[in-house]
Each structure stands twice: as structure tokens, then as C-alpha cells.
Amino acid sequence: KQWYQRRVPITAGDPPTPEPRPTDHPQPTPEPGEGIEAFYKKADFDAMFPNRNIGGKAKYKIYEYQYFLAASKKFSKFGTQGNLAMRKREVAGFLAHIAQETTGGWDTAPGGRYAWGLYFPEEMGCDKGNCAPYCAVVPEYPCVAGKGYHGRGPIQLSYNYNYGLFSKEYLGDKMILLNDPDRVKKDGELAFVSALWFWMTPQSPKPSCHDALVGNWKPTAKDLKCGRKAGFGVTINIVNGGVECNHKPMKSKTFHRVETYKLFCKKLGTTPGANLTCETQQSFAAFCG
């Protein structure tokens, strides 16, 4: 099944970022299997997303650390595979994508362009009803009269078939979210689970973002011919390859996605790794000869 998402328009300057400084008593390296809270704290989250939840004015404040942490516990491999540098890299990568999808910033925004992630809980304008229904004719996941399936939550879950599939796999009944898609913008833990479900779940021919970033995914000969190599760049391809990849010069939204990732890696004290962009990658739907 294809994953489609409604993109939040990218309109956001680069906040000053202090270099990570070593401490006299470094924290011990987390043991494999420990959760992300071993190295990613509430203070980190608050610093990365100071303007979340429409600057604190959202009716439902779904973008909070406790909801992210609780959702991460549902996916035992998230942020727990590889060495500490790799684990931090995955968290930075996930957060970079959801920051991009929900940004409310602009070039001269207070604090800089990259301080405005997790701003919008749903697609802009849709809270006032000025939005397409995002209803595709998929009999397995029927649209419900009066309901709209526009982007909601950190990854901007969109379209009836994605709401239905996620609802079936996570809640056990496809109709729960088809009947009440607004749950994704009201329930913080559910909102982050929807984003992590997408991040952790392969949808053929695409690998999961998790596997592509931590090195579990091994490119085939076709992948290599299409320019696809493991790293953050291929996660962009998975999320929005048909729009953002195989473009020179790099699209502005792709540039900002990469810059957000590099910034978050820096804030977490890790390196971004290789293959950061997808400007020479063809989408997974492409025929590469």
C-alpha cells in the first residue's frame, strides 16, 4: 500500500546552536534495549520544540514529551538498535521528519526556522473546515459521511486508507478512526503512535525508515542503480520521494528537512552519517532501466 501525506507548507531561520560540550563525568552508555529516555530527556524535547502546540494555544496539547515517550514504548526497536551514536541518530531522524511535517516557522521567525516544529496539530486550514476530504475509493477502508481524512498528528496521517489501516493494525478495528479521525489530533499518545507506526513499518517496495536509517536495510542492485543508499536521504525518499527526490537543485523543503536532521544530531551529540540527501535518488515507484 502506498503512503500519502499532505505536506504542511514550509515557510520557516536557523537558531544558534551551541556546540556539544563534554562533561567531566560523562553519562554511561545506555545498554542495548534501554529506552530512549536513557539519552533523550524532557529538557531536550522542550528545547527542540519551544513553539509546539500552536505556541501552547492548541485546544489539545498532543505534542508533549510524555506522549512521545509512551508511544516509543510500543515499538521496542525504536532508538534501541546499534551503538549509542546510531540510537541518537535514529531519534534525531524521526524528530526531524515530524518537525518538517508540522512546522509553523519561517526564515525570520523568533528563534529561527528550525525552532517551530510540532506547531500544527493538523493541516493548516482544516480546523476551520477549509480542507479537501482526502477520500479515495478504497472499498476496504470506506469513507464515512461528514468525516475528513486530512493530515493530523506528527507525521500528518492522511487519507481514509491510512487511517483505516493504522486503526486496524493498532486499535484492532479499522472503523474506529474512520468514524473518528479527530482522535489523532486529540490523543497525544495515539498521535505519536501513528507517526512511529509509519516510521517502523515497511510498505513494499519501501523499507521502513527505521531499517533504512539504522542499517538493517541492504540496498538491492536496483536500489543502487536508482541511487538509493542507506542513510537519512532514503528516509526522505520513503516519506515523500515522489515530490522531493531526484531534483537538482535540491528542493527547499528537502534542504530544510536535512538541515533540521543535522541540527538535531548536533543537539543530541551524535553525527548524521552518510547519504543525507535524495537529490540523486529516484523514488521507489520509479523504473530505473
Side-chain angles (χ1 to χ4, degrees), residues 236-285:
I236 303 173
N237 202 331
I238 294 166
V239 173
N240 203 25
V243 175
E244 295 188 38
C245 297
N246 198 29
H247 287 278
K248 285 188 174 182
M250 189 189 310
K251 288 196 170 185
S252 62
K253 64 173 60 177
T254 314
F255 172 80
H256 295 310
R257 202 181 289 272
V258 174
E259 289 301 301
T260 304
Y261 171 60
K262 289 160 63 177
L263 174 65
F264 285 1
C265 282
K266 189 175 183 180
K267 286 180 177 289
L268 288 180
T270 191
T271 55
N275 305 318
L276 300 185
T277 73
C278 66
E279 59 186 332
T280 60
Q281 295 183 22
Q282 297 192 46
S283 75
F284 281 89

mmCIF file of all heavy atoms in Angstrom, residues 236-285:
data_model
loop_
_atom_site.group_PDB
_atom_site.id
_atom_site.type_symbol
_atom_site.label_atom_id
_atom_site.label_comp_id
_atom_site.label_asym_id
_atom_site.label_seq_id
_atom_site.Cartn_x
_atom_site.Cartn_y
_atom_site.Cartn_z
ATOM 1 N N ILE A 236 13.925 10.247 3.473
ATOM 2 C CA ILE A 236 13.174 11.289 2.768
ATOM 3 C C ILE A 236 12.436 10.673 1.593
ATOM 4 O O ILE A 236 11.267 10.980 1.325
ATOM 5 C CB ILE A 236 14.106 12.414 2.285
ATOM 6 C CG1 ILE A 236 14.886 13.024 3.445
ATOM 7 C CG2 ILE A 236 13.308 13.490 1.546
ATOM 8 C CD1 ILE A 236 15.942 14.036 3.006
ATOM 9 N N ASN A 237 13.114 9.765 0.905
ATOM 10 C CA ASN A 237 12.510 9.069 -0.228
ATOM 11 C C ASN A 237 11.284 8.275 0.227
ATOM 12 O O ASN A 237 10.246 8.260 -0.446
ATOM 13 C CB ASN A 237 13.546 8.146 -0.868
ATOM 14 C CG ASN A 237 13.225 7.807 -2.308
ATOM 15 O OD1 ASN A 237 12.072 7.778 -2.714
ATOM 16 N ND2 ASN A 237 14.253 7.532 -3.083
ATOM 17 N N ILE A 238 11.382 7.628 1.363
ATOM 18 C CA ILE A 238 10.262 6.845 1.885
ATOM 19 C C ILE A 238 9.089 7.753 2.252
ATOM 20 O O ILE A 238 7.927 7.448 1.945
ATOM 21 C CB ILE A 238 10.712 6.018 3.105
ATOM 22 C CG1 ILE A 238 11.739 4.954 2.688
ATOM 23 C CG2 ILE A 238 9.515 5.356 3.797
ATOM 24 C CD1 ILE A 238 12.479 4.319 3.855
ATOM 25 N N VAL A 239 9.393 8.863 2.881
ATOM 26 C CA VAL A 239 8.343 9.770 3.357
ATOM 27 C C VAL A 239 7.694 10.539 2.221
ATOM 28 O O VAL A 239 6.463 10.649 2.148
ATOM 29 C CB VAL A 239 8.924 10.753 4.401
ATOM 30 C CG1 VAL A 239 7.900 11.821 4.773
ATOM 31 C CG2 VAL A 239 9.357 10.001 5.654
ATOM 32 N N ASN A 240 8.508 11.050 1.289
ATOM 33 C CA ASN A 240 7.968 11.965 0.278
ATOM 34 C C ASN A 240 8.781 11.955 -1.002
ATOM 35 O O ASN A 240 8.975 12.990 -1.633
ATOM 36 C CB ASN A 240 7.931 13.394 0.852
ATOM 37 C CG ASN A 240 6.928 14.278 0.157
ATOM 38 O OD1 ASN A 240 5.949 13.815 -0.418
ATOM 39 N ND2 ASN A 240 7.168 15.585 0.204
ATOM 40 N N GLY A 241 9.248 10.769 -1.387
ATOM 41 C CA GLY A 241 10.174 10.672 -2.509
ATOM 42 C C GLY A 241 9.638 11.164 -3.826
ATOM 43 O O GLY A 241 10.357 11.773 -4.624
ATOM 44 N N GLY A 242 8.370 10.918 -4.083
ATOM 45 C CA GLY A 242 7.795 11.324 -5.356
ATOM 46 C C GLY A 242 7.790 12.824 -5.558
ATOM 47 O O GLY A 242 7.758 13.307 -6.699
ATOM 48 N N VAL A 243 7.837 13.581 -4.473
ATOM 49 C CA VAL A 243 7.803 15.041 -4.538
ATOM 50 C C VAL A 243 9.188 15.648 -4.358
ATOM 51 O O VAL A 243 9.564 16.585 -5.067
ATOM 52 C CB VAL A 243 6.848 15.609 -3.463
ATOM 53 C CG1 VAL A 243 6.903 17.129 -3.428
ATOM 54 C CG2 VAL A 243 5.427 15.125 -3.710
ATOM 55 N N GLU A 244 9.977 15.088 -3.429
ATOM 56 C CA GLU A 244 11.210 15.756 -3.008
ATOM 57 C C GLU A 244 12.491 15.193 -3.612
ATOM 58 O O GLU A 244 13.516 15.880 -3.626
ATOM 59 C CB GLU A 244 11.325 15.722 -1.478
ATOM 60 C CG GLU A 244 10.250 16.519 -0.771
ATOM 61 C CD GLU A 244 10.485 16.632 0.724
ATOM 62 O OE1 GLU A 244 11.645 16.782 1.135
ATOM 63 O OE2 GLU A 244 9.498 16.556 1.467
ATOM 64 N N CYS A 245 12.490 13.968 -4.090
ATOM 65 C CA CYS A 245 13.739 13.337 -4.518
ATOM 66 C C CYS A 245 13.947 13.439 -6.027
ATOM 67 O O CYS A 245 13.030 13.732 -6.783
ATOM 68 C CB CYS A 245 13.759 11.877 -4.072
ATOM 69 S SG CYS A 245 13.721 11.683 -2.274
ATOM 70 N N ASN A 246 15.210 13.189 -6.422
ATOM 71 C CA ASN A 246 15.608 13.227 -7.829
ATOM 72 C C ASN A 246 15.393 14.611 -8.425
ATOM 73 O O ASN A 246 14.926 14.755 -9.556
ATOM 74 C CB ASN A 246 14.857 12.167 -8.643
ATOM 75 C CG ASN A 246 15.526 11.876 -9.981
ATOM 76 O OD1 ASN A 246 16.740 12.004 -10.120
ATOM 77 N ND2 ASN A 246 14.724 11.490 -10.962
ATOM 78 N N HIS A 247 15.719 15.633 -7.643
ATOM 79 C CA HIS A 247 15.607 17.020 -8.088
ATOM 80 C C HIS A 247 16.933 17.740 -7.863
ATOM 81 O O HIS A 247 17.488 17.687 -6.770
ATOM 82 C CB HIS A 247 14.507 17.756 -7.323
ATOM 83 C CG HIS A 247 13.121 17.359 -7.716
ATOM 84 N ND1 HIS A 247 12.482 17.882 -8.817
ATOM 85 C CD2 HIS A 247 12.254 16.482 -7.149
ATOM 86 C CE1 HIS A 247 11.281 17.354 -8.918
ATOM 87 N NE2 HIS A 247 11.114 16.504 -7.920
ATOM 88 N N LYS A 248 17.415 18.416 -8.894
ATOM 89 C CA LYS A 248 18.600 19.266 -8.780
ATOM 90 C C LYS A 248 18.262 20.620 -9.373
ATOM 91 O O LYS A 248 17.756 20.671 -10.501
ATOM 92 C CB LYS A 248 19.787 18.645 -9.509
ATOM 93 C CG LYS A 248 20.427 17.484 -8.787
ATOM 94 C CD LYS A 248 21.719 17.064 -9.494
ATOM 95 C CE LYS A 248 22.460 15.996 -8.717
ATOM 96 N NZ LYS A 248 23.729 15.623 -9.371
ATOM 97 N N PRO A 249 18.484 21.709 -8.661
ATOM 98 C CA PRO A 249 18.988 21.717 -7.287
ATOM 99 C C PRO A 249 17.966 21.154 -6.313
ATOM 100 O O PRO A 249 16.790 21.029 -6.622
ATOM 101 C CB PRO A 249 19.247 23.203 -7.026
ATOM 102 C CG PRO A 249 18.246 23.900 -7.907
ATOM 103 C CD PRO A 249 18.182 23.065 -9.155
ATOM 104 N N MET A 250 18.429 20.820 -5.135
ATOM 105 C CA MET A 250 17.584 20.262 -4.100
ATOM 106 C C MET A 250 16.424 21.204 -3.789
ATOM 107 O O MET A 250 16.583 22.407 -3.714
ATOM 108 C CB MET A 250 18.411 20.037 -2.823
ATOM 109 C CG MET A 250 17.713 19.260 -1.738
ATOM 110 S SD MET A 250 18.671 19.274 -0.182
ATOM 111 C CE MET A 250 20.292 18.780 -0.742
ATOM 112 N N LYS A 251 15.250 20.664 -3.622
ATOM 113 C CA LYS A 251 14.095 21.480 -3.261
ATOM 114 C C LYS A 251 14.293 22.074 -1.875
ATOM 115 O O LYS A 251 14.937 21.483 -1.013
ATOM 116 C CB LYS A 251 12.821 20.644 -3.298
ATOM 117 C CG LYS A 251 12.364 20.290 -4.710
ATOM 118 C CD LYS A 251 10.929 19.807 -4.712
ATOM 119 C CE LYS A 251 10.405 19.697 -6.129
ATOM 120 N NZ LYS A 251 8.969 19.341 -6.148
ATOM 121 N N SER A 252 13.705 23.245 -1.666
ATOM 122 C CA SER A 252 13.911 23.942 -0.393
ATOM 123 C C SER A 252 13.401 23.123 0.777
ATOM 124 O O SER A 252 14.040 23.072 1.831
ATOM 125 C CB SER A 252 13.239 25.314 -0.413
ATOM 126 O OG SER A 252 11.837 25.201 -0.588
ATOM 127 N N LYS A 253 12.271 22.459 0.620
ATOM 128 C CA LYS A 253 11.745 21.679 1.744
ATOM 129 C C LYS A 253 12.659 20.502 2.067
ATOM 130 O O LYS A 253 12.801 20.126 3.232
ATOM 131 C CB LYS A 253 10.326 21.187 1.465
ATOM 132 C CG LYS A 253 10.179 20.222 0.308
ATOM 133 C CD LYS A 253 8.763 19.652 0.225
ATOM 134 C CE LYS A 253 7.724 20.732 0.037
ATOM 135 N NZ LYS A 253 6.358 20.181 -0.105
ATOM 136 N N THR A 254 13.309 19.942 1.045
ATOM 137 C CA THR A 254 14.254 18.857 1.279
ATOM 138 C C THR A 254 15.489 19.384 2.002
ATOM 139 O O THR A 254 15.997 18.755 2.938
ATOM 140 C CB THR A 254 14.669 18.219 -0.057
ATOM 141 O OG1 THR A 254 13.506 17.996 -0.847
ATOM 142 C CG2 THR A 254 15.387 16.899 0.174
ATOM 143 N N PHE A 255 15.969 20.547 1.560
ATOM 144 C CA PHE A 255 17.112 21.174 2.215
ATOM 145 C C PHE A 255 16.824 21.394 3.700
ATOM 146 O O PHE A 255 17.658 21.078 4.559
ATOM 147 C CB PHE A 255 17.428 22.510 1.533
ATOM 148 C CG PHE A 255 18.465 23.325 2.244
ATOM 149 C CD1 PHE A 255 19.815 23.046 2.094
ATOM 150 C CD2 PHE A 255 18.086 24.369 3.086
ATOM 151 C CE1 PHE A 255 20.773 23.802 2.764
ATOM 152 C CE2 PHE A 255 19.038 25.128 3.750
ATOM 153 C CZ PHE A 255 20.390 24.848 3.591
ATOM 154 N N HIS A 256 15.652 21.916 4.010
ATOM 155 C CA HIS A 256 15.325 22.203 5.401
ATOM 156 C C HIS A 256 15.113 20.920 6.203
ATOM 157 O O HIS A 256 15.410 20.869 7.399
ATOM 158 C CB HIS A 256 14.104 23.106 5.481
ATOM 159 C CG HIS A 256 14.339 24.462 4.907
ATOM 160 N ND1 HIS A 256 15.431 25.234 5.264
ATOM 161 C CD2 HIS A 256 13.655 25.188 3.984
ATOM 162 C CE1 HIS A 256 15.401 26.371 4.590
ATOM 163 N NE2 HIS A 256 14.344 26.365 3.808
ATOM 164 N N ARG A 257 14.643 19.878 5.554
ATOM 165 C CA ARG A 257 14.498 18.587 6.234
ATOM 166 C C ARG A 257 15.880 18.074 6.654
ATOM 167 O O ARG A 257 16.064 17.596 7.779
ATOM 168 C CB ARG A 257 13.816 17.588 5.291
ATOM 169 C CG ARG A 257 13.135 16.416 5.977
ATOM 170 C CD ARG A 257 12.510 15.477 4.957
ATOM 171 N NE ARG A 257 11.341 16.008 4.292
ATOM 172 C CZ ARG A 257 10.098 15.903 4.744
ATOM 173 N NH1 ARG A 257 9.859 15.278 5.876
ATOM 174 N NH2 ARG A 257 9.086 16.407 4.060
ATOM 175 N N VAL A 258 16.841 18.175 5.739
ATOM 176 C CA VAL A 258 18.206 17.721 6.017
ATOM 177 C C VAL A 258 18.861 18.594 7.085
ATOM 178 O O VAL A 258 19.516 18.087 8.008
ATOM 179 C CB VAL A 258 19.044 17.714 4.726
ATOM 180 C CG1 VAL A 258 20.510 17.391 5.035
ATOM 181 C CG2 VAL A 258 18.485 16.701 3.732
ATOM 182 N N GLU A 259 18.672 19.908 6.982
ATOM 183 C CA GLU A 259 19.277 20.808 7.957
ATOM 184 C C GLU A 259 18.692 20.591 9.355
ATOM 185 O O GLU A 259 19.406 20.679 10.355
ATOM 186 C CB GLU A 259 19.091 22.267 7.524
ATOM 187 C CG GLU A 259 19.933 22.660 6.314
ATOM 188 C CD GLU A 259 21.420 22.466 6.543
ATOM 189 O OE1 GLU A 259 21.958 23.072 7.488
ATOM 190 O OE2 GLU A 259 22.048 21.695 5.780
ATOM 191 N N THR A 260 17.411 20.309 9.424
ATOM 192 C CA THR A 260 16.799 20.007 10.722
ATOM 193 C C THR A 260 17.419 18.749 11.315
ATOM 194 O O THR A 260 17.738 18.693 12.512
ATOM 195 C CB THR A 260 15.282 19.830 10.585
ATOM 196 O OG1 THR A 260 14.714 20.998 9.997
ATOM 197 C CG2 THR A 260 14.637 19.610 11.950
ATOM 198 N N TYR A 261 17.605 17.741 10.491
ATOM 199 C CA TYR A 261 18.223 16.495 10.954
ATOM 200 C C TYR A 261 19.640 16.744 11.461
ATOM 201 O O TYR A 261 20.016 16.270 12.548
ATOM 202 C CB TYR A 261 18.241 15.479 9.805
ATOM 203 C CG TYR A 261 19.048 14.241 10.083
ATOM 204 C CD1 TYR A 261 18.734 13.393 11.145
ATOM 205 C CD2 TYR A 261 20.135 13.897 9.272
ATOM 206 C CE1 TYR A 261 19.480 12.243 11.395
ATOM 207 C CE2 TYR A 261 20.876 12.759 9.511
ATOM 208 C CZ TYR A 261 20.550 11.935 10.578
ATOM 209 O OH TYR A 261 21.293 10.812 10.825
ATOM 210 N N LYS A 262 20.439 17.489 10.715
ATOM 211 C CA LYS A 262 21.813 17.779 11.139
ATOM 212 C C LYS A 262 21.829 18.558 12.454
ATOM 213 O O LYS A 262 22.649 18.289 13.349
ATOM 214 C CB LYS A 262 22.536 18.557 10.039
ATOM 215 C CG LYS A 262 22.846 17.709 8.808
ATOM 216 C CD LYS A 262 23.113 18.541 7.567
ATOM 217 C CE LYS A 262 24.320 19.423 7.695
ATOM 218 N NZ LYS A 262 24.583 20.166 6.426
ATOM 219 N N LEU A 263 20.917 19.510 12.579
ATOM 220 C CA LEU A 263 20.817 20.285 13.811
ATOM 221 C C LEU A 263 20.449 19.401 14.994
ATOM 222 O O LEU A 263 21.054 19.483 16.073
ATOM 223 C CB LEU A 263 19.775 21.392 13.646
ATOM 224 C CG LEU A 263 19.458 22.214 14.905
ATOM 225 C CD1 LEU A 263 20.677 23.019 15.344
ATOM 226 C CD2 LEU A 263 18.261 23.124 14.657
ATOM 227 N N PHE A 264 19.479 18.526 14.808
ATOM 228 C CA PHE A 264 19.044 17.657 15.902
ATOM 229 C C PHE A 264 20.124 16.647 16.273
ATOM 230 O O PHE A 264 20.286 16.305 17.454
ATOM 231 C CB PHE A 264 17.742 16.942 15.529
ATOM 232 C CG PHE A 264 16.517 17.820 15.581
ATOM 233 C CD1 PHE A 264 16.596 19.170 15.921
ATOM 234 C CD2 PHE A 264 15.262 17.307 15.284
ATOM 235 C CE1 PHE A 264 15.469 19.971 15.985
ATOM 236 C CE2 PHE A 264 14.121 18.096 15.345
ATOM 237 C CZ PHE A 264 14.220 19.434 15.692
ATOM 238 N N CYS A 265 20.862 16.146 15.284
ATOM 239 C CA CYS A 265 22.001 15.272 15.597
ATOM 240 C C CYS A 265 23.010 16.018 16.462
ATOM 241 O O CYS A 265 23.536 15.476 17.451
ATOM 242 C CB CYS A 265 22.673 14.798 14.307
ATOM 243 S SG CYS A 265 21.825 13.460 13.447
ATOM 244 N N LYS A 266 23.272 17.265 16.110
ATOM 245 C CA LYS A 266 24.217 18.081 16.864
ATOM 246 C C LYS A 266 23.722 18.282 18.292
ATOM 247 O O LYS A 266 24.487 18.165 19.261
ATOM 248 C CB LYS A 266 24.390 19.421 16.161
ATOM 249 C CG LYS A 266 25.494 20.313 16.703
ATOM 250 C CD LYS A 266 25.615 21.551 15.808
ATOM 251 C CE LYS A 266 26.757 22.448 16.261
ATOM 252 N NZ LYS A 266 26.877 23.644 15.386
ATOM 253 N N LYS A 267 22.451 18.565 18.443
ATOM 254 C CA LYS A 267 21.883 18.773 19.773
ATOM 255 C C LYS A 267 21.957 17.509 20.630
ATOM 256 O O LYS A 267 22.111 17.579 21.855
ATOM 257 C CB LYS A 267 20.425 19.234 19.657
ATOM 258 C CG LYS A 267 20.268 20.687 19.208
ATOM 259 C CD LYS A 267 18.795 21.065 19.110
ATOM 260 C CE LYS A 267 18.609 22.525 18.735
ATOM 261 N NZ LYS A 267 18.978 23.453 19.816
ATOM 262 N N LEU A 268 21.864 16.351 19.986
ATOM 263 C CA LEU A 268 21.928 15.093 20.726
ATOM 264 C C LEU A 268 23.353 14.564 20.864
ATOM 265 O O LEU A 268 23.566 13.518 21.474
ATOM 266 C CB LEU A 268 21.049 14.035 20.047
ATOM 267 C CG LEU A 268 19.538 14.247 20.180
ATOM 268 C CD1 LEU A 268 18.778 13.133 19.474
ATOM 269 C CD2 LEU A 268 19.119 14.305 21.643
ATOM 270 N N GLY A 269 24.316 15.267 20.297
ATOM 271 C CA GLY A 269 25.713 14.868 20.455
ATOM 272 C C GLY A 269 26.089 13.664 19.627
ATOM 273 O O GLY A 269 26.889 12.828 20.048
ATOM 274 N N THR A 270 25.535 13.566 18.405
ATOM 275 C CA THR A 270 25.888 12.467 17.520
ATOM 276 C C THR A 270 26.185 13.021 16.136
ATOM 277 O O THR A 270 26.071 14.221 15.890
ATOM 278 C CB THR A 270 24.773 11.409 17.457
ATOM 279 O OG1 THR A 270 25.259 10.237 16.783
ATOM 280 C CG2 THR A 270 23.528 11.938 16.747
ATOM 281 N N THR A 271 26.582 12.143 15.234
ATOM 282 C CA THR A 271 26.898 12.537 13.864
ATOM 283 C C THR A 271 25.762 12.094 12.940
ATOM 284 O O THR A 271 25.083 11.102 13.216
ATOM 285 C CB THR A 271 28.206 11.888 13.409
ATOM 286 O OG1 THR A 271 28.111 10.466 13.576
ATOM 287 C CG2 THR A 271 29.370 12.409 14.241
ATOM 288 N N PRO A 272 25.557 12.782 11.819
ATOM 289 C CA PRO A 272 24.430 12.449 10.955
ATOM 290 C C PRO A 272 24.646 11.262 10.031
ATOM 291 O O PRO A 272 23.697 10.755 9.440
ATOM 292 C CB PRO A 272 24.215 13.733 10.145
ATOM 293 C CG PRO A 272 25.557 14.379 10.117
ATOM 294 C CD PRO A 272 26.200 14.058 11.435
ATOM 295 N N GLY A 273 25.893 10.809 9.898
ATOM 296 C CA GLY A 273 26.153 9.688 8.995
ATOM 297 C C GLY A 273 26.263 10.130 7.550
ATOM 298 O O GLY A 273 26.293 11.319 7.231
ATOM 299 N N ALA A 274 26.290 9.144 6.657
ATOM 300 C CA ALA A 274 26.462 9.397 5.228
ATOM 301 C C ALA A 274 25.115 9.403 4.509
ATOM 302 O O ALA A 274 24.087 9.025 5.068
ATOM 303 C CB ALA A 274 27.380 8.335 4.625
ATOM 304 N N ASN A 275 25.147 9.826 3.252
ATOM 305 C CA ASN A 275 23.977 9.766 2.370
ATOM 306 C C ASN A 275 22.784 10.527 2.951
ATOM 307 O O ASN A 275 21.718 9.958 3.204
ATOM 308 C CB ASN A 275 23.597 8.304 2.087
ATOM 309 C CG ASN A 275 24.750 7.500 1.527
ATOM 310 O OD1 ASN A 275 25.492 7.978 0.674
ATOM 311 N ND2 ASN A 275 24.936 6.286 2.030
ATOM 312 N N LEU A 276 22.964 11.825 3.134
ATOM 313 C CA LEU A 276 21.950 12.633 3.814
ATOM 314 C C LEU A 276 20.836 13.118 2.906
ATOM 315 O O LEU A 276 19.756 13.449 3.393
ATOM 316 C CB LEU A 276 22.612 13.852 4.472
ATOM 317 C CG LEU A 276 23.686 13.576 5.518
ATOM 318 C CD1 LEU A 276 24.139 14.885 6.153
ATOM 319 C CD2 LEU A 276 23.173 12.609 6.574
ATOM 320 N N THR A 277 21.077 13.209 1.615
ATOM 321 C CA THR A 277 20.080 13.791 0.717
ATOM 322 C C THR A 277 19.564 12.751 -0.280
ATOM 323 O O THR A 277 20.096 11.642 -0.373
ATOM 324 C CB THR A 277 20.678 14.975 -0.069
ATOM 325 O OG1 THR A 277 21.580 14.483 -1.069
ATOM 326 C CG2 THR A 277 21.427 15.923 0.862
ATOM 327 N N CYS A 278 18.540 13.145 -1.024
ATOM 328 C CA CYS A 278 17.987 12.221 -2.024
ATOM 329 C C CYS A 278 17.896 12.879 -3.392
ATOM 330 O O CYS A 278 17.125 12.433 -4.249
ATOM 331 C CB CYS A 278 16.609 11.706 -1.585
ATOM 332 S SG CYS A 278 15.311 12.970 -1.504
ATOM 333 N N GLU A 279 18.689 13.926 -3.623
ATOM 334 C CA GLU A 279 18.584 14.661 -4.883
ATOM 335 C C GLU A 279 19.004 13.827 -6.087
ATOM 336 O O GLU A 279 18.610 14.140 -7.220
ATOM 337 C CB GLU A 279 19.396 15.953 -4.813
ATOM 338 C CG GLU A 279 20.868 15.766 -4.535
ATOM 339 C CD GLU A 279 21.580 17.105 -4.330
ATOM 340 O OE1 GLU A 279 21.117 18.105 -4.907
ATOM 341 O OE2 GLU A 279 22.576 17.135 -3.588
ATOM 342 N N THR A 280 19.761 12.742 -5.867
ATOM 343 C CA THR A 280 20.132 11.854 -6.973
ATOM 344 C C THR A 280 19.421 10.508 -6.883
ATOM 345 O O THR A 280 19.736 9.592 -7.630
ATOM 346 C CB THR A 280 21.661 11.625 -7.000
ATOM 347 O OG1 THR A 280 22.070 11.029 -5.761
ATOM 348 C CG2 THR A 280 22.404 12.939 -7.196
ATOM 349 N N GLN A 281 18.466 10.396 -5.988
ATOM 350 C CA GLN A 281 17.708 9.155 -5.835
ATOM 351 C C GLN A 281 16.397 9.228 -6.616
ATOM 352 O O GLN A 281 15.700 10.233 -6.564
ATOM 353 C CB GLN A 281 17.367 8.888 -4.375
ATOM 354 C CG GLN A 281 18.539 8.627 -3.469
ATOM 355 C CD GLN A 281 18.085 8.297 -2.045
ATOM 356 O OE1 GLN A 281 16.951 7.879 -1.829
ATOM 357 N NE2 GLN A 281 18.961 8.503 -1.091
ATOM 358 N N GLN A 282 16.056 8.157 -7.282
ATOM 359 C CA GLN A 282 14.730 8.046 -7.851
ATOM 360 C C GLN A 282 13.785 7.436 -6.827
ATOM 361 O O GLN A 282 14.211 6.705 -5.934
ATOM 362 C CB GLN A 282 14.770 7.223 -9.140
ATOM 363 C CG GLN A 282 15.604 7.867 -10.240
ATOM 364 C CD GLN A 282 15.404 7.215 -11.579
ATOM 365 O OE1 GLN A 282 14.287 6.954 -11.996
ATOM 366 N NE2 GLN A 282 16.504 6.951 -12.266
ATOM 367 N N SER A 283 12.510 7.744 -6.941
ATOM 368 C CA SER A 283 11.544 7.231 -5.979
ATOM 369 C C SER A 283 11.443 5.724 -6.081
ATOM 370 O O SER A 283 11.849 5.112 -7.075
ATOM 371 C CB SER A 283 10.166 7.868 -6.223
ATOM 372 O OG SER A 283 9.566 7.296 -7.369
ATOM 373 N N PHE A 284 10.855 5.113 -5.072
ATOM 374 C CA PHE A 284 10.715 3.656 -5.055
ATOM 375 C C PHE A 284 9.740 3.166 -6.116
ATOM 376 O O PHE A 284 9.739 1.983 -6.475
ATOM 377 C CB PHE A 284 10.280 3.184 -3.662
ATOM 378 C CG PHE A 284 11.406 3.128 -2.690
ATOM 379 C CD1 PHE A 284 11.746 4.232 -1.916
ATOM 380 C CD2 PHE A 284 12.163 1.971 -2.529
ATOM 381 C CE1 PHE A 284 12.785 4.198 -1.004
ATOM 382 C CE2 PHE A 284 13.221 1.918 -1.618
ATOM 383 C CZ PHE A 284 13.537 3.038 -0.862
ATOM 384 N N ALA A 285 8.917 4.056 -6.631
ATOM 385 C CA ALA A 285 7.981 3.677 -7.680
ATOM 386 C C ALA A 285 8.592 3.781 -9.074
ATOM 387 O O ALA A 285 7.983 3.358 -10.062
ATOM 388 C CB ALA A 285 6.726 4.559 -7.621
#
